[in-house]
Amino acid sequence: MMMTVPRLAALLRFIALVVAGAVGSAVLAFVGANVVDYVRFHAAFRRVERVSASDWKAMADRLRDLTGPYQGDPLRDFAMLKPIKANIWSGGGDLLLYELSPASPRYEGEGIYLYARISNSERNAVALYFTNFEGKQRTRILWNRDPELTRTFSPVGRIVTLTDWSMHGSRDWIVLEDRIMVIDRSGSMRDPVIVGETKLEADGLSKIRAVIKALPVEVRGKDFRHDHTSDGFKFEISFDSDGQETPDRIRVSNAWVEQLLPLLTTISELAPKDCPVEFVRNPDVQDHLKDKPVTIRMLAEAEAFEWPKPRLPYWCVWRSWLD
């Protein structure tokens, strides 16, 4: 029995309604997932940035004298941050506030995260957040118990800062208008320590300014690296007034860059006598590295290589559309 025209039209209308409903539901689910994630992400940032100094102090005090396992429920005790999970250790803790992982991660923990960190040291306490939502992990300090102490170890008005990294922390040679400070920063929860300080005379400052000016333009803003040597030989030169990461800084890892030798040698000679720049004065390091092939990248390229943007679930498009 053949279907009449009215019945065929009714069937087609029904099929069209079913298809439209399915498509509409899919679009609604897609848009809804992005809206929910957008709200969740920005709400986490607003919470962590709006915590008062007194509340940070109370949370730091809760962790200050902790020497054993945490006796309590951190998700409840730090509820104003609404953490998803927490990792508590002696004197501090990391609170996960936001997480978004791809369906098939390449490695454990891949994805976008936002953590609040509260930590106590011998003389201070600090609250900060760290996140990789832009690719490279970045950190922002939100509160510290003793701002004056922090300023002591983070002076402004710098001419140049040399940072030597090791597995256990770092050492800074900070050149100011009137002095050179050498500061050790441990990778543990200990406070930084000024291990040397010497007055900088006008002729010494002129020498440093001259060797900075003489640096070839092709070394600025570059990352020099030998990818197959693992000595842990790594340093960074910053020309920012407070030592921050600016596009013209220079980074060297397991490589020898002859053009930097005048600057490093000058700083070493003018620094406190018991705080020389060791890798400059060690001929074995120079001889070992001089013949090694060096990969040279722009810093932005090197950081994109080192900190690739996390993959997102297929449905998450608001980051590229709205941010």
Side-chain angles (χ1 to χ4, degrees), residues 20-32:
V23 172
S25 298
V27 170
L28 186 62
F30 177 80
V31 172

Side-chain angles (χ1 to χ4, degrees), residues 74-75 78 83-88 94-96:
L75 302 190
F78 303 97
I84 301 169
K85 58 185 177 182
N87 177 30
I88 306 297
D94 284 343
L95 306 169
L96 178 62

Side-chain angles (χ1 to χ4, degrees), residues 53 55-65 91-93 117-128 141-150 189-192:
D55 285 330
W56 283 127
K57 180 181 182 300
M59 289 187 281
D61 288 346
R62 184 184 293 274
L63 297 169
R64 180 174 52 195
D65 300 322
R117 171 170 291 177
I118 305 167
S119 59
N120 289 277
S121 60
E122 296 164 350
R123 299 165 58 191
N124 202 5
V126 175
L128 54 84
I141 294 177
L142 300 165
W143 168 84
N144 65 78
R145 192 188 303 275
D146 190 342
E148 187 59 39
L149 181 67
T150 300
M189 300 308 296
R190 293 193 296 272
D191 290 303

Side-chain angles (χ1 to χ4, degrees), residues 223-242:
D223 177 279
F224 299 87
R225 170 183 309 264
H226 182 272
D227 296 314
H228 305 293
T229 300
S230 56
D231 303 56
F233 174 85
K234 179 178 179 181
F235 66 88
E236 187 167 292
I237 302 170
S238 169
F239 305 99
D240 189 64
S241 64
D242 56 0

Side-chain angles (χ1 to χ4, degrees), residues 280-296:
V280 173
R281 293 173 174 265
N282 185 346
D284 292 339
V285 171
Q286 299 180 34
D287 293 341
H288 171 60
L289 293 170
K290 276 182 178 177
D291 296 330
K292 301 291 185 181
V294 178
T295 300
I296 305 173

Side-chain angles (χ1 to χ4, degrees), residues 12-189:
L12 293 176
R13 283 197 300 272
F14 175 75
I15 293 173
L17 288 172
V18 170
V19 171
V23 172
S25 298
V27 170
L28 186 62
F30 177 80
V31 172
N34 279 272
V35 169
V36 168
D37 187 64
Y38 178 89
V39 170
R40 190 168 65 95
F41 177 77
H42 288 281
F45 264 101
R46 285 195 297 273
R47 284 197 305 276
V48 76
E49 290 180 332
R50 291 178 179 176
V51 176
S52 67
S54 60
D55 285 330
W56 283 127
K57 180 181 182 300
M59 289 187 281
D61 288 346
R62 184 184 293 274
L63 297 169
R64 180 174 52 195
D65 300 322
L66 183 65
T67 56
Y70 185 73
Q71 302 297 322
D73 180 359
L75 302 190
R76 181 193 63 209
D77 295 340
F78 303 97
M80 70 170 55
L81 292 170
K82 297 184 180 179
I84 301 169
K85 58 185 177 182
N87 177 30
I88 306 297
W89 64 83
S90 178
D94 284 343
L95 306 169
L96 178 62
L97 309 184
Y98 171 86
E99 184 177 37
L100 181 65
S101 300
S104 301
R106 294 167 294 188
Y107 50 84
E108 184 179 357
E110 184 190 20
I112 296 177
Y113 53 77
L114 169 64
Y115 280 90
R117 171 170 291 177
I118 305 167
S119 59
N120 289 277
S121 60
E122 296 164 350
R123 299 165 58 191
N124 202 5
V126 175
L128 54 84
Y129 72 65
F130 59 94
T131 180
N132 67 337
F133 79 94
E134 292 177 332
K136 180 182 178 181
Q137 180 174 289
R138 67 176 177 88
T139 300
R140 180 185 170 193
I141 294 177
L142 300 165
W143 168 84
N144 65 78
R145 192 188 303 275
D146 190 342
E148 187 59 39
L149 181 67
T150 300
R151 284 191 287 270
T152 299
F153 296 114
S154 302
V156 297
R158 307 181 190 193
I159 309 302
V160 63
T161 304
L162 168 63
T163 301
D164 179 19
W165 300 91
S166 72
M167 293 179 61
H168 307 291
S170 64
R171 170 170 285 194
D172 292 338
W173 287 261
I174 300 174
V175 179
L176 301 165
E177 294 274 354
D178 60 344
R179 67 194 187 280
I180 298 179
M181 299 175 63
V182 185
I183 301 176
D184 276 358
R185 304 181 191 275
S186 171
S188 70
M189 300 308 296

